[in-house]
Amino acid sequence: MTRKRMAVARLWFEGNAFSPMPTGMAQFEQYEWQFGDEALAAMRGTATELGAVAEFAASHPEWQVVVLRCAAALPSGPITPDVIARLGDEIEAGLRAGMQQGGWDAVYLSLHGAAIAHGIDTPELDLARRVRTLLPDVPLAASFDLHGNMPAQWAEVLDYATVYRTHPHVDMAETAARALHTVARCASEGLRTRRVLLNEGVILPSINMRTVAGPMCELERTARELAAGAVLDVSVFGGFPYSDTAATGASVFVVSDAAQDPDASQAEAAAHAMMAHIRQLAPAFQASLPGPAQAVAQALADTRPGLIAVTESSDNPLSGGGGDTPGLFQAMLQARPQVPCLFASFADAQVVQAAARAGQGATLDIVLGGRYGDAFGAPVPVRVVVERLTDGLFRNQGPMQRGVQRSCGASVLLRIEDLPSAWVIVTERVVAGDDPGFYALHGIDTAALRLLCVKAKNHFRAAFAERCVAIIDCDTPGPACLDLSLLPFRHRHIPAWAHGGKPA
């Protein structure tokens, strides 16, 4: 039996134009810079796109799956051009080598949709166009994050696209499996598609995009209803405002079977119906959040037993936050909680190194926050006791990216000296405190805490919704704040809800 050949490549990155941190080669190497069979071995059994690729390769012996360069980085500022150039060159070189070894029958790209790069408006679309130019007749499919900002030209490049249907994103592997299955059908069964992508620049706040309930849940339900007959997939993108691109906004990408929908009329009808529903529900996405002092006071006044979390969404590392804004930490200190509480976390390599030099049990005077200036708040001086030093390695235990090993660099658990039951975690690198494995690394049993103040947003709920009696989101100044009028947008299509009626 002659095996068909599929190439796999990946660029998974969500860019925040207001993040204080540039994204260069070091950030990709620290998070994900993989290639070949070693990538499949590392990701096998994980709840990720590459986990799904490994499963597809194992369960479809008729396919030879070749993994080319796969790159991902924690959300932050624009990618440096050298990374984009190197990634594109490596993927093209791999495709050209494969063309000399029997050719390709299909290509799958694991993408995000909200990548940004210095001087490059659409790095992911450019990468896909590069693949399409090299392999004009080879079926090409891609999977995306729900927060992608999608230019209409994607419909001209891809044969198939699909997107996460959950937020928090616990269906990464399932989304990739749909793309893999469909692109294999294109190659093996001759499936041909029609595609329609609509993006009308509707800006939706991501804080209210959870799919368990609310307007996004309703949009997902409508998308599933519209995916019938000739329509193979209806993908709803909520968009990511902080990327600040010309294509920022909610969109819908519809794929239909060309044999049943030769003029794309069914795809067009589904896309327009879906976009109309997005416009109708846009006001329901509007959100109002308390400030940090109010949120902490509300948490401490709650009389129910158990863990209460206050999330600082404006500095959420999975929205491009730098682990640096002081707003929630200052509010926690000023509230002087007399219950077990933890702040997670600041990223400050100098503090971690100072704690390591001093050693466990040492007392230090440090400053937290404001490493990049005081635009989002002044640094906070605090006296702490070093309680635990770690190597920063942990493996995700929760449902989102379950099984993936992560590193936050060296890290330290510090006790606040004048609040004997209050701690703060400081790491060398920015890290999302969204997974129980991160707290276990630091010897923290979250069930023993009363208050957890955390730089996080919706993804925190994947693992902690059932662990908390309440989760209170608050807004502070930061690179992913709710009030978009506080940020210096280049593309000024900010809706009225985001700037309190002030001119954009």
Side-chain angles (χ1 to χ4, degrees), residues 11-14 49 75 110-115 124 142-150 162-169 171-172 175 209 235-240 251 318 400-401 459:
L11 172 56
W12 191 88
F13 175 75
E14 182 176 73
E49 287 91 335
S110 168
L111 303 173
H112 185 286
E124 293 164 288
S143 61
F144 293 92
D145 188 291
L146 179 150
H147 294 102
N149 298 312
M150 304 295 288
T162 192
V163 67
Y164 304 158
R165 296 173 178 174
T166 63
H167 184 33
H169 306 324
D171 66 331
M172 294 177 175
T175 302
M209 269 186 207
S235 291
V236 181
F237 293 82
F240 187 65
S251 62
L318 294 183
M400 186 170 164
Q401 294 189 316
H459 292 317

Side-chain angles (χ1 to χ4, degrees), residues 431-465:
V431 63
D434 290 343
D435 194 90
F438 175 68
Y439 298 95
L441 168 69
H442 295 93
I444 297 292
D445 177 7
T446 55
L449 295 172
R450 173 58 176 165
L451 175 64
L452 172 58
C453 293
V454 57
K455 291 180 178 296
K457 196 161 58 175
N458 293 321
H459 292 317
F460 176 80
R461 296 172 184 258
F464 285 93

Side-chain angles (χ1 to χ4, degrees), residues 28 73-74 108 124 143 161 196 203 223 255 316 330 363 383 430 456 480:
F28 282 93
L74 198 69
Y108 162 61
E124 293 164 288
S143 61
V196 176
I203 306 298
V255 182
N316 169 35
Q330 183 73 73
T363 299
R383 176 167 287 186
V430 178

Side-chain angles (χ1 to χ4, degrees), residues 68-81:
L68 306 178
R69 177 59 66 196
C70 292
L74 198 69
S76 51
I79 304 170
T80 56

Side-chain angles (χ1 to χ4, degrees), residues 199-438:
N199 183 340
E200 298 178 356
V202 178
I203 306 298
L204 305 177
S206 59
I207 190 69
N208 200 19
M209 269 186 207
R210 295 189 293 274
T211 53
V212 67
M216 201 68 192
C217 178
E218 185 172 340
L219 290 178
E220 288 294 339
R221 183 164 53 246
T222 300
R224 303 291 76 74
E225 293 169 354
L226 290 171
V231 177
L232 301 174
D233 194 283
V234 177
S235 291
V236 181
F237 293 82
F240 187 65
Y242 308 103
S243 294
D244 188 20
T245 66
T248 292
S251 62
V252 56
F253 197 149
V254 178
V255 182
S256 66
D257 184 337
Q260 303 176 52
D261 188 26
D263 61 355
S265 59
Q266 293 185 54
E268 289 273 2
H272 284 284
M274 194 73 246
M275 183 53 70
H277 203 184
I278 290 172
R279 291 195 305 271
Q280 176 192 3
L281 290 183
F285 281 87
Q286 298 175 17
S288 177
L289 298 179
Q294 181 183 351
V296 171
Q298 180 182 337
L300 294 175
D302 197 316
T303 59
R304 292 172 293 176
L307 175 64
I308 298 177
V310 177
T311 67
E312 188 176 26
S313 59
S314 63
D315 199 31
N316 169 35
L318 294 183
S319 296
D324 190 53
T325 63
L328 180 57
F329 183 63
Q330 183 73 73
M332 188 187 85
L333 293 182
Q334 291 176 346
R336 299 199 60 78
Q338 301 302 304
V339 295
C341 60
L342 172 70
F343 189 91
S345 56
F346 283 102
D348 192 322
Q350 291 184 348
V351 168
V352 174
Q353 291 160 12
R357 287 193 300 268
Q360 188 169 332
T363 299
L364 298 174
D365 289 309
I366 62 172
V367 174
L368 292 173
R371 288 177 298 123
Y372 301 103
D374 60 2
F376 299 134
V380 180
V382 62
R383 176 167 287 186
V384 296
V385 178
V386 179
E387 289 215 342
R388 186 183 181 97
L389 297 161
T390 89
D391 63 3
L393 293 173
F394 65 97
R395 193 172 294 277
N396 284 348
Q397 301 172 4
M400 186 170 164
Q401 294 189 316
R402 184 184 61 254
V404 177
Q405 182 170 318
R406 292 295 179 217
S407 172
C408 56
S411 68
V412 60
L413 176 68
L414 305 171
R415 179 171 56 81
I416 299 168
E417 189 183 51
D418 64 348
L419 289 173
S421 59
W423 295 267
V424 57
I425 296 173
V426 184
T427 61
E428 278 193 317
R429 304 172 190 161
V430 178
V431 63
D434 290 343
D435 194 90
F438 175 68

